[in-house]
Amino acid sequence: MSTLSVQNVTYRYGAKTALDDVSFELEKGRFCALLGPNGAGKSTLFSLLTRLFVTKQGTISVAGHDLAREPRAALAKIGVVFQQQTLDLDMSVVQNLRYFAALQGLSGRAAQRNIDAALDRLSMRERAKEKARSLNGGHRRRMEIARALIHEPEVLLLDEATVGLDTATRQAITQHVHDLADDGLLVFWATHLVDEIQDNDDVVVLHKGRILAHDNARKIARDGTLIDAFMHMTDTTPEPSL
Amino acid sequence: MKPYLVSLWAITLREAMRFVNQRSRFLAALVRPLVWLMVFAAGFRAALGLSIIPPYQTYITYEVYIVPGLCGMIQLFNGMQSSLSLVYDREMGSMRLLLTSPLPRWWLLFSKLMAGVAVSILQVYAFLAIAAMFGITLPVMGYVYVFPTLILSGLMLGALGLLISSTIKQLENFAGVMNFVIFPMFFMSSALYPLWKMAESSPLLRDICALNPFTHAVELIRFAMYEQFNGTALLWVILAFIIFLCGSLVGYDPAAGLRRSRRPNGP
């Protein structure tokens, strides 16, 4: 049984088809990049995976739970980091984490244990009482990633999570998320930046709402580079990655 | 049941903290009714003679008359402000965070509503405390009896705010709606003048006022403050709450802020 399964999903905005018969399956312990140029349908797919949008065409299941039929069980297995920053800047680090834990229904000792674990992962125990506003962009992002893991999900979705960060921070966060996949999580990482993908990663190439390829990054690149293969497939000029 | 209460408490606490942290909003919320009470009512006292009407058992001054209306006004403003924060949350992305919680969506929205009500009740009691310092007091039990009515009227006005916010796509549009909702609701109610006084100038206006759910919220509060029960007002408030809430649950589209002009044909 795959950890994340998307079968024949189609979604339209009026006459415009944003996703056209999209199907793929992903396993846990893997880092999978959802690679596509801007407007490919990545955000629409993420909105469907997090049930912000609902479609009747196709099925999505998370850890064996159908998102349409058992939304609560499925959502409990997903951690999300949105492209847009969603921290409450006037609340402290620990208050932000506690608020999120409560939204997941966690309280008391269980919540505290997971919050402590999140703070340790961030090496931020001593800064727990600081306002989120005092953190720099990289720390805020890492905090959002740690927050998304508080309820111990099996799937971590990140939608263009490195937007607006400098190169060093971008690399650190990309590496951090790869480590999480090595620890057994399924990481599904939407991006339009090819350099965030490592050779051994899985890649789903999405373009104009259709899946063009789903394979190991090395296999998609064949003898050349992934960036050339991606350009060739989508017939576009990729954005400068640095 | 526990996860439900945990999330309700967390959402309420967050809303209350946000309110207290926003000093200017906190001050404005207190100053607004006080200005009405100290300035408007003082000036108006001479112009308006009030006869003895229920729930009052004696002649009262105009300041005493408008206290329940001002409590209603606090909740009216707060209901609209909470829904403004919903629009804000939607634009800032924290609404997305809220809606990816595994708890049912209606519960999350209801929790948001209750959080707004809690904040409004804090404001009402702060206002009543200041009014008491100026010598405008209620019967002791009135302070207790008014509490459940404030929950009901707060829910009703919060649900109205929710309904309005579900029809609004961007923050900027909200100011106009505030003017078209708050002022007409407040002025065309029994908050400032009793309905019989209104009838003297225009029976039509009186009828409109009598249909205004805000009138009934104010009367519910007024009667409770004087240790009396107003069943008609209670029914009106509950009915209006159900209608507003159903309307907002049907109309509430969490994706509205994400899509801008695009519209899906999905279910």
Side-chain angles (χ1 to χ4, degrees):
Chain A
M1 181 188 71
S2 55
T3 308
L4 179 66
S5 159
V6 175
Q7 298 299 333
N8 310 108
V9 166
T10 296
Y11 192 81
R12 293 191 185 87
Y13 294 106
K16 183 176 174 282
T17 303
L19 290 176
D20 188 6
D21 198 24
V22 167
S23 300
F24 58 87
E25 297 203 346
L26 305 175
E27 301 298 333
K28 64 180 173 185
R30 298 292 300 162
F31 180 102
C32 180
L34 175 65
L35 184 63
N38 290 331
K42 300 190 296 288
S43 289
T44 304
L45 179 59
F46 267 51
S47 294
L48 287 167
L49 291 176
T50 51
R51 214 167 165 266
L52 286 174
F53 296 174
V54 180
T55 180
K56 277 185 182 154
Q57 291 165 283
T59 54
I60 297 170
S61 68
V62 186
H65 302 288
D66 186 324
L67 193 58
R69 265 180 284 155
E70 305 171 81
R72 291 172 58 191
L75 284 174
K77 297 289 177 194
I78 299 181
V80 201
V81 177
F82 293 105
Q83 185 176 348
Q84 203 177 14
Q85 193 253 115
T86 56
L87 293 175
D88 213 319
L89 296 180
D90 292 319
M91 296 207 309
S92 70
V93 171
V94 70
Q95 281 170 336
N96 266 290
L97 296 176
R98 206 174 285 141
Y99 173 66
F100 182 78
L103 288 185
Q104 299 294 326
L106 288 175
S107 64
R109 228 174 291 160
Q112 196 54 49
R113 193 184 56 229
N114 294 5
I115 288 168
D116 287 343
L119 288 171
D120 285 341
R121 207 176 295 134
L122 294 164
S123 315
M124 267 170 63
R125 267 226 201 202
E126 64 289 349
R127 297 184 71 182
K129 296 224 163 73
E130 280 183 35
K131 292 236 164 110
R133 193 180 292 283
S134 69
L135 305 179
N136 64 31
H139 272 116
R140 287 183 193 175
R141 258 290 112 106
R142 287 184 72 115
M143 190 184 145
E144 286 188 291
I145 295 170
R147 183 180 63 178
L149 298 175
I150 277 187
H151 57 296
E152 299 169 328
E154 291 183 25
V155 181
L156 179 62
L157 303 176
L158 301 105
D159 187 7
E160 312 242 356
T162 55
V163 163
L165 299 176
D166 62 54
T167 312
T169 313
R170 239 165 35 82
Q171 278 173 350
I173 286 185
T174 312
Q175 188 52 50
H176 174 59
V177 173
H178 274 88
D179 293 344
L180 291 172
D182 291 340
D183 291 343
L185 207 63
L186 163 60
V187 175
F188 194 34
W189 172 275
T191 186
H192 60 276
L193 302 174
V194 177
D195 73 325
E196 292 178 345
I197 300 167
Q198 298 177 358
D199 280 352
N200 192 33
D201 293 340
D202 292 331
V203 180
V204 171
V205 180
L206 188 69
H207 184 50
K208 292 183 178 166
R210 303 183 75 111
I211 291 192
L212 301 185
H214 176 199
D215 212 328
N216 189 276
R218 206 177 289 129
K219 286 189 186 154
I220 292 178
R222 289 197 197 146
D223 300 329
T225 59
L226 183 60
I227 201 162
D228 290 335
F230 175 60
M231 258 168 65
H232 179 70
M233 257 187 262
T234 56
D235 202 20
T236 52
T237 314
E239 299 216 359
S241 54
L242 296 178
Chain B
M1 197 60 211
K2 202 176 165 204
Y4 285 75
L5 296 179
V6 168
S7 61
L8 172 65
W9 175 244
I11 292 169
T12 306
L13 204 63
R14 175 171 177 265
E15 206 71 27
M17 272 171 47
R18 252 166 74 161
F19 177 69
V20 176
N21 284 338
Q22 296 171 333
R23 297 264 159 74
S24 56
R25 188 182 152 199
F26 189 58
L27 273 176
L30 275 182
V31 167
R32 195 182 302 120
L34 286 173
V35 167
W36 279 91
L37 188 65
M38 305 302 165
V39 183
F40 179 84
F44 229 62
R45 173 155 56 167
L48 198 76
L50 290 179
S51 64
I52 300 173
I53 49 163
Y56 306 105
Q57 277 149 8
T58 173
Y59 282 104
I60 48 159
T61 61
Y62 186 62
E63 285 98 324
V64 172
Y65 178 81
I66 69 165
V67 164
L70 294 180
C71 292
M73 183 182 79
I74 291 173
Q75 290 199 302
L76 180 63
F77 264 93
N78 194 75
M80 298 301 133
Q81 202 123 31
S82 304
S83 58
L84 185 73
S85 92
L86 270 173
V87 178
Y88 177 84
D89 276 356
R90 209 164 53 194
E91 298 220 324
M92 291 300 132
S94 45
M95 179 51 72
R96 268 188 269 185
L97 189 74
L98 186 73
L99 294 176
T100 50
S101 155
L103 292 168
R105 202 162 274 182
W106 66 265
W107 175 257
L108 296 168
L109 287 180
F110 178 74
S111 299
K112 266 284 201 194
L113 202 57
M114 278 308 286
V117 173
V119 168
S120 80
I121 291 179
L122 267 174
Q123 293 172 48
V124 167
Y125 276 102
F127 166 68
L128 288 176
I130 297 175
M133 279 187 249
F134 285 93
I136 303 164
T137 54
L138 310 175
V140 179
M141 286 312 285
Y143 289 103
V144 180
Y145 291 143
V146 81
F147 184 74
T149 65
L150 289 173
I151 294 180
L152 277 175
S153 54
L155 279 174
M156 189 266 275
L157 295 168
L160 174 67
L162 204 60
L163 177 64
I164 292 169
S165 83
S166 69
T167 64
I168 289 177
K169 296 205 176 55
Q170 275 177 317
L171 273 178
E172 291 75 25
N173 303 344
F174 204 81
V177 178
M178 303 247 313
N179 281 334
F180 287 106
V181 176
I182 289 187
F183 290 128
M185 270 197 114
F186 181 58
F187 289 122
M188 283 192 268
S189 76
S190 60
L192 294 179
Y193 337 94
L195 291 186
W196 66 263
K197 199 83 186 165
M198 202 76 95
E200 278 179 4
S201 61
S202 159
L204 175 67
L205 205 54
R206 195 214 82 93
D207 292 342
I208 294 173
C209 294
L211 288 173
N212 181 357
F214 185 68
T215 296
H216 298 283
V218 170
E219 290 311 303
L220 189 65
I221 294 170
R222 191 190 308 283
F223 274 68
M225 280 178 166
Y226 292 89
E227 303 169 337
Q228 290 179 45
F229 175 69
N230 188 332
T232 320
L234 179 72
L235 283 178
W236 265 91
V237 170
I238 291 175
L239 188 71
F241 170 59
I242 292 170
I243 291 172
F244 294 153
L245 189 67
C246 291
S248 57
L249 284 178
V250 170
Y252 199 79
D253 178 1
L258 314 177
R259 271 201 302 269
R260 306 285 171 229
S261 55
R262 297 190 290 187
R263 286 216 145 263
N265 62 354

